[in-house]
């Protein structure tokens, strides 16, 4: 079993910054693509960004330039740096990881529980 735990959310003023973290633990042989999603109030869950095993990021256009995804494979952790935050960024942010648990196993997707980000004056 694999667990993903997000942290770093909280209350921030418009224009401020937050850095989210997501640490994977459990039975892990390798972690491939990781990603951040979010779900705002009354909205569908949407993709924010992905990052490959080798560290190549991919952003949804609306987040490009403000958000930065990165990872530390030694720590099994993915980060999301969020700058110039707006009230419409208020959402629960979820971590995703595609994981192989041993040498021969298939890759399985896992989700974290989410961390709340509130952008408000």
């Amino acid at each position: 079993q694999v667990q993903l735990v997000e942290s770093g959310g909280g209350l921030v003023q418009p224009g401020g910054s937050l850095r989210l973290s997501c640490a994977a633990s459990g039975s892990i042989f390798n972690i491939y693509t990781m990603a951040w999603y979010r779900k705002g109030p009354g909205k569908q869950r949407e993709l924010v960004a992905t990052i490959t095993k080798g560290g190549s990021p991919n952003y949804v256009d609306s987040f490009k330039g403000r958000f930065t995804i990165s990872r530390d494979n030694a720590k099994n952790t993915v980060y999301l740096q969020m700058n110039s935050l707006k009230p419409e960024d208020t959402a629960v942010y979820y971590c995703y990881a595609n994981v192989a648990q041993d040498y021969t196993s298939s890759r399985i997707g896992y989700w974290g529980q989410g961390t709340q980000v509130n952008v408000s004056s």
Side-chain angles (χ1 to χ4, degrees):
Q1 187 64 265
V2 174
Q3 299 83 40
L4 303 179
V5 179
E6 300 98 335
S7 62
L11 177 64
V12 64
Q13 294 188 55
S17 298
L18 283 174
R19 190 192 193 208
L20 307 182
S21 299
C22 171
S25 62
S27 182
I28 298 172
F29 177 75
N30 211 346
I31 304 178
Y32 299 93
T33 296
M34 304 183 82
W36 287 97
Y37 290 74
R38 74 182 190 184
K39 187 181 186 301
K43 301 177 181 178
Q44 298 273 60
R45 181 158 60 182
E46 63 178 336
L47 176 67
V48 176
T50 66
I51 186 166
T52 68
K53 176 72 173 180
S56 296
N58 188 15
Y59 302 94
V60 174
D61 285 345
S62 59
F63 304 113
K64 195 174 299 181
R66 293 196 301 125
F67 291 7
T68 302
I69 189 170
S70 61
R71 64 190 289 168
D72 185 340
N73 289 338
K75 297 180 179 179
N76 289 333
T77 299
V78 64
Y79 306 94
L80 185 68
Q81 178 68 45
M82 305 186 294
N83 299 324
S84 302
L85 285 164
K86 307 171 183 178
E88 52 263 43
D89 294 320
T90 295
V92 178
Y93 285 73
Y94 296 92
C95 176
Y96 169 89
N98 193 239
V99 178
Q101 294 182 264
D102 60 59
Y103 181 76
T104 61
S105 65
S106 299
R107 302 179 187 185
I108 301 172
Y110 295 90
W111 291 91
Q113 292 293 314
T115 185
Q116 179 71 50
V117 172
N118 290 310
V119 185
S120 179
S121 298

